[in-house]
């Protein structure tokens, strides 16, 4: 039986392993149908997607029409900040997902305190979601971010029922956030539990995250039935890591440490306006998730990307992990620039 946990004050009883909907952008509809069928069989009842994931909402909506919307708690996200834009996204999400109500609607990757304050301001998107909640179009409101500071502020203000943050053995800064969330009865959703597919043994990586009692649900991205079956095992037969397994995972993590960006943001600000962590995020989507077109589109959309780096080196002393950022940006540039 799949282990379940309560998603904070939402009261939703969610499966320990949830479904991350970003990679299905490259799937065919019949593949998504099979994935959803197997989610049901394995006891996975939490699906996370987003407006930004191109056709992910649409394909999930079609699959749920066939396999039963009632089998899942649905979560999706908007990258928009303003009242009008958020209302429009909710309407689109309801249509694409073919549902009358969405269980959890989240702000997608609120990057900065300024963005957060816009969301919470008088013409911000938060008031739009409250209205949608009052009308029954959405049931609960959450926020996601790669910024510790943004979610820490959100927890202090106690306006959200869930937070979503990256967490794995090499991106483990969120542990104290989750303790704080637990004390406030805020649900904790874990994105990037597999570090974007970087770990050699995903089973060990998921179990490491699941050992944390303050988290509610892990949402590894999956694009095949094989991945559903492999990941669901963790929730259906959860066993803490043995010392040997822990040592193996730690060795794997140490090998990643020399070139793996934790998205902490301490490298900012860049003199050329480059959002440095985002360069490495889209590179990971291209190399590890095989989302070439989506990653390339995102790279093209940046005001300044890796090609703008002048190798001044100001970012490197600020990195707490001593990453060779200039060399890493060079590799990102070499990957994307011939394609732009």
């Amino acid at each position: 039986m799949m282990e379940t946990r309560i998603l904070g004050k939402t009261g939703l009883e969610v499966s320990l392993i949830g479904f991350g909907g970003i990679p299905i952008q490259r799937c065919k509809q019949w593949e998504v149908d099979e994935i959803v069928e197997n989610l049901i069989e394995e006891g996975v009842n939490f699906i996370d997607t987003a407006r930004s994931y191109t056709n992910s909402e649409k394909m999930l909506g079609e699959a749920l029409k066939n396999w039963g919307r009632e089998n899942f708690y649905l979560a999706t996200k908007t990258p928009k900040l303003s009242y009008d834009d958020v209302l429009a996204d909710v309407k689109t999400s309801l249509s694409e997902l073919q549902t009358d109500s969405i269980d959890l609607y989240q702000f997608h990757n609120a990057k900065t305190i300024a963005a957060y304050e816009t969301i919470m301001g008088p013409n911000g998107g938060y008031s739009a979601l409250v209205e949608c909640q009052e009308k029954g179009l959405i049931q609960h409101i959450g926020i996601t971010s790669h910024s510790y500071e943004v979610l820490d502020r959100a927890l202090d203000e106690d306006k959200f029922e869930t937070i979503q943050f990256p967490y794995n053995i090499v991106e483990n800064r969120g542990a104290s956030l989750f303790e704080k969330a637990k004390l406030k009865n805020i649900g904790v959703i874990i994105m990037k539990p597999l570090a974007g597919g970087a770990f050699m043994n995903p089973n060990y990586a998921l179990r490491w995250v699941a050992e944390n009692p303050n988290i509610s649900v892990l949402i590894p991205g999956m694009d095949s039935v094989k991945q559903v079956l492999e990941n669901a095992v963790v929730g259906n037969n959860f066993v803490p890591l043995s010392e040997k397994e822990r040592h193996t995972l730690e060795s794997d993590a140490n090998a990643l440490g020399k070139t793996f960006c934790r998205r902490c943001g301490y490298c900012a600000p860049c003199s050329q306006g480059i959002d440095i962590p985002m360069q490495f995020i889209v590179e990971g989507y291209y190399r590890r998730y095989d989302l070439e077109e989506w990653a390339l589109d995102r790279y093209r959309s940046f005001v300044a990307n890796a090609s703008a780096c002048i190798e001044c080196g100001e970012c490197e002393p600020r990195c707490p992990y001593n990453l060779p950022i200039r060399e890493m940006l060079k590799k990102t540039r070499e990957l994307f620039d011939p394609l732009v």
Side-chain angles (χ1 to χ4, degrees), residues 189-259:
I189 303 166
I190 300 302
M191 59 170 147
K192 306 296 186 294
L194 298 176
F199 295 118
M200 296 293 291
N201 195 313
N203 178 278
Y204 293 179
L206 291 177
R207 285 161 61 199
W208 185 92
V209 176
E211 287 177 342
N212 189 322
N214 299 317
I215 67 105
S216 311
V217 55
L218 294 69
I219 52 168
M222 306 180 225
D223 65 359
S224 70
V225 170
K226 179 175 181 288
Q227 290 176 356
V228 171
L229 298 179
E230 290 174 348
N231 293 338
V233 165
V234 173
N236 280 320
N237 183 31
F238 177 64
V239 179
L241 292 171
S242 68
E243 286 308 307
K244 182 178 180 181
E245 291 168 334
R246 194 178 306 278
H247 178 73
T248 299
L249 180 61
E250 288 171 352
S251 296
D252 191 10
N254 289 335
L256 283 175
K258 295 178 181 177
T259 58

Side-chain angles (χ1 to χ4, degrees), residues 263-276:
R263 299 125 174 168
C264 67
Y266 287 141
C267 54
C270 168
S271 64
Q272 302 304 302
I274 304 169
D275 185 336
I276 294 171

Side-chain angles (χ1 to χ4, degrees), residues 280-297:
F280 304 139
I281 289 173
V282 295
E283 181 182 1
Y285 284 138
Y286 190 102
R287 295 188 192 275
R288 297 194 293 271
Y289 275 141
D290 296 326
L291 289 170
E292 290 95 344
E293 291 185 15
W294 185 82
L296 183 57
D297 284 345

Side-chain angles (χ1 to χ4, degrees), residues 74-268:
L74 268 183
T76 192
K77 307 185 281 290
T78 175
K80 303 298 177 55
L81 307 179
S82 72
Y83 176 91
D84 289 339
D85 288 344
V86 169
L87 279 184
D89 265 4
V90 171
K91 182 178 179 180
T92 302
S93 291
L94 289 166
S95 175
E96 297 283 75
L97 290 166
Q98 301 189 45
T99 186
D100 295 327
S101 182
I102 294 165
D103 298 292
L104 175 64
Y105 213 95
Q106 304 158 99
F107 289 100
H108 193 177
N109 193 20
K111 293 182 180 180
T112 63
I113 293 296
Y116 175 83
E117 290 176 344
T118 298
I119 289 168
M120 304 306 293
N123 297 308
Y126 183 81
S127 58
L129 288 192
V130 170
E131 285 186 19
C132 290
Q133 188 179 41
E134 291 170 349
K135 293 176 181 177
L137 301 177
I138 66 173
Q139 299 302 313
H140 304 284
I141 302 173
I143 186 169
T144 86
S145 184
H146 289 271
S147 166
Y148 183 104
E149 288 73 21
V150 166
L151 293 190
D152 193 47
R153 169 83 172 268
L155 288 175
D156 284 340
E157 296 187 357
D158 211 14
K159 297 289 188 180
F160 296 93
E161 297 170 272
T162 65
I163 60 169
Q164 186 177 140
F165 194 68
Y167 184 62
N168 53 65
I169 194 170
V170 293
E171 292 179 273
N172 50 28
R173 188 178 177 224
S176 57
L177 268 183
F178 309 151
E179 291 178 9
K180 185 173 182 176
K182 183 75 168 182
L183 291 172
K184 290 175 167 285
N185 196 25
I186 304 298
V188 174
I189 303 166
I190 300 302
M191 59 170 147
K192 306 296 186 294
L194 298 176
F199 295 118
M200 296 293 291
N201 195 313
N203 178 278
Y204 293 179
L206 291 177
R207 285 161 61 199
W208 185 92
V209 176
E211 287 177 342
N212 189 322
N214 299 317
I215 67 105
S216 311
V217 55
L218 294 69
I219 52 168
M222 306 180 225
D223 65 359
S224 70
V225 170
K226 179 175 181 288
Q227 290 176 356
V228 171
L229 298 179
E230 290 174 348
N231 293 338
V233 165
V234 173
N236 280 320
N237 183 31
F238 177 64
V239 179
L241 292 171
S242 68
E243 286 308 307
K244 182 178 180 181
E245 291 168 334
R246 194 178 306 278
H247 178 73
T248 299
L249 180 61
E250 288 171 352
S251 296
D252 191 10
N254 289 335
L256 283 175
K258 295 178 181 177
T259 58
F260 189 79
C261 175
R262 278 77 164 178
R263 299 125 174 168
C264 67
Y266 287 141
C267 54

